[in-house]
Amino acid sequence: KSHRRATLTGLALVIVPALLMSTKGILAKFMYETGMGVEELLFLRSAIALPLFWIFALWKLGLLGTLRANRKDFLAAFFVGVFTYYVGAVADFEALQLIDASIERIILFAYPAMVVLAEAVRRRAMPPRAQMIAMLLTYAGIYLAMGAFNSELFQANLVGALLALVAAITFAVYLMVNQQTSGRIGSVRFTTYAMTGAAAGLTVHFLTAAPPEVFTFTSDGWWMLVVMAVFVTVVPFLLLAEGIRRIGASRAALITTIGPPVTLVLAFFLLGESMTWIQLAGSALVILGVLVLERPQSKRVRQSET
C-alpha cells in the first residue's frame, strides 16, 4: 500500500506540472492582448520567478549548500540557462505571436527526437531502428501540423514554426547538459544556476531591446504575469523535479505527452483556435513519436526494478 501510494503521489507530481505548463501558450496569448510585449513578459516573469527559485534552494540546501559547486559545473548550468531560457524563451514567445498556441506546443515536443539526433551525431553512429521511426513520426507530424498540403497555411505558420523549433533545440541542449551536470551538483543547484543565467540574459535583452513604451499594459496583465511566473514556471519545475525523483525520468516523459492535447482543447475553447484534420493527424504523430522514443527506456527501467 505504501509503495502504491508513493507511486500515485509521484504520478500526481508529474501530471499537475504537465497540466500547468500546457497553459503557457494560452496565458501568453491573453497577456499579449493586454498590451504586454515579449520583452516585458520574459523580463518580469524572470524577475518574479528567480527569487523564488533561490528561496527554495536556500531552504532546501542552505547558503553553503546552494553555492557548493565547482566552477565548470556552475558555468555549464549558467550558460545553458542563458541559451535555453533566454535565447530559447525569446524564440518561443515570439513564435506565440505568429502561430496558434496549440501548434507551438506540438512543435516544442520535437525535443526528444532532437536529443536522439544529437546523440547519434556525437557517437557518429546511426540511431536504433525504433528511434529512427520515432524521429520520422515526429518530424512528419510537425510538417502536417504546420499545414502541409495547404500552401497558404503552411507559409503563414513557417516563421513561427521555425522559431518554435529553435526553442525546442535549446530545450534539447538543456536536457543533455542537465543530464551530465545535475548528477554532480544536484537538480536544485543546477536549476537555480540555470535560472540565474537566464535572468541575466533576459535583463540585458530587456534593457537593450525593449521599446520605449514599457509597462503600459493593463492591470489584468500584472496578475496574469504573477500566475505565469508562480504557477506556470516555478511550481511546475519544483513539482516535476520531485515527480521524476519518485517515478523516474522515462515514465515522467511519457506522462508529459498529455500536454499538447490539453493545450489543443484549451486553445479551442478559450482562444477559438481550430485545427484541420491534417493538423490533428500531425499532432497525433508527434505524440506517437515521443511514445515510441520513451517506451524502450521505460521497459528497461521496469526490468531493472524487478
Side-chain angles (χ1 to χ4, degrees):
K1 288 183 179 180
S2 60
H3 175 72
R4 185 165 59 249
R5 190 181 301 113
T7 300
L8 291 174
T9 302
L11 293 173
L13 288 170
V14 175
I15 292 171
V16 170
L19 294 175
L20 290 174
M21 288 188 286
S22 69
T23 66
K24 180 201 69 180
I26 312 294
L27 197 55
K29 293 279 190 181
F30 283 122
M31 293 167 77
Y32 293 151
E33 291 180 359
T34 69
M36 189 181 303
V38 172
E39 292 82 9
E40 294 167 295
L41 192 161
L42 291 174
F43 169 70
L44 292 172
R45 182 185 72 156
S46 176
I48 297 171
L50 182 63
L52 298 179
F53 280 114
W54 272 96
I55 289 170
F56 179 79
L58 293 172
W59 171 74
K60 189 82 172 175
L61 304 174
L63 178 60
L64 294 179
T66 302
L67 299 176
R68 190 172 66 239
N70 62 52
R71 182 181 178 185
K72 180 181 177 182
D73 290 335
F74 169 78
L75 291 176
F78 184 91
F79 283 109
V80 81
V82 173
F83 184 60
T84 302
Y85 292 107
Y86 161 43
V87 177
V90 169
D92 186 24
F93 280 84
E94 289 286 356
L96 281 167
Q97 290 190 318
L98 301 172
I99 58 177
D100 288 349
S102 52
I103 296 176
E104 174 264 353
R105 191 67 178 168
I106 291 163
I107 294 174
L108 282 183
F109 261 70
Y111 72 84
M114 293 175 178
V115 172
V116 170
L117 187 60
E119 286 294 317
V121 172
R122 185 180 65 83
R123 296 195 312 266
R124 298 180 181 179
M126 291 292 291
R129 185 174 61 180
Q131 293 183 348
M132 290 290 291
I133 293 172
M135 285 192 295
L136 289 174
L137 289 172
T138 299
Y139 292 118
I142 290 173
Y143 178 67
L144 293 177
M146 288 171 59
F149 308 112
N150 184 332
S151 59
E152 185 177 341
L153 180 60
F154 185 85
Q155 290 177 6
N157 288 328
L158 183 58
V159 176
L162 290 175
L163 288 171
L165 277 173
V166 169
I169 291 170
T170 66
F171 191 62
V173 173
Y174 179 86
L175 289 180
M176 290 185 288
V177 176
N178 189 349
Q179 185 175 354
Q180 296 174 356
T181 308
S182 63
R184 295 190 293 269
I185 65 175
S187 61
V188 174
R189 291 189 193 91
F190 182 88
T191 301
T192 304
Y193 299 159
M195 292 304 166
T196 302
L202 289 168
T203 300
V204 173
H205 180 79
F206 176 78
L207 294 175
T208 57
E213 304 82 15
V214 293
F215 308 142
T216 57
F217 47 88
T218 66
S219 58
D220 288 342
W222 285 103
W223 71 260
M224 284 191 281
L225 186 65
V226 172
V227 169
M228 176 172 280
V230 176
F231 297 104
V232 187
T233 305
V234 177
V235 171
F237 261 87
L238 300 180
L239 292 180
L240 188 59
E242 180 62 19
I244 290 173
R245 187 184 71 81
R246 289 172 180 251
I247 66 173
S250 296
R251 292 176 73 183
L254 288 173
I255 293 168
T256 58
T257 56
I258 66 174
V262 171
T263 302
L264 183 63
V265 173
L266 290 176
F268 176 79
F269 285 105
L270 298 179
L271 299 176
E273 293 182 3
S274 60
M275 298 185 76
T276 65
W277 285 108
I278 291 177
Q279 290 178 298
L280 289 172
S283 307
L285 285 180
V286 172
I287 296 169
L288 181 60
V290 175
L291 293 174
V292 171
L293 272 176
E294 297 296 338
R295 187 171 176 271
Q297 298 182 45
S298 296
K299 186 176 181 180
R300 287 196 296 270
V301 170
R302 287 195 299 269
Q303 288 175 344
S304 66
E305 290 175 347
T306 56

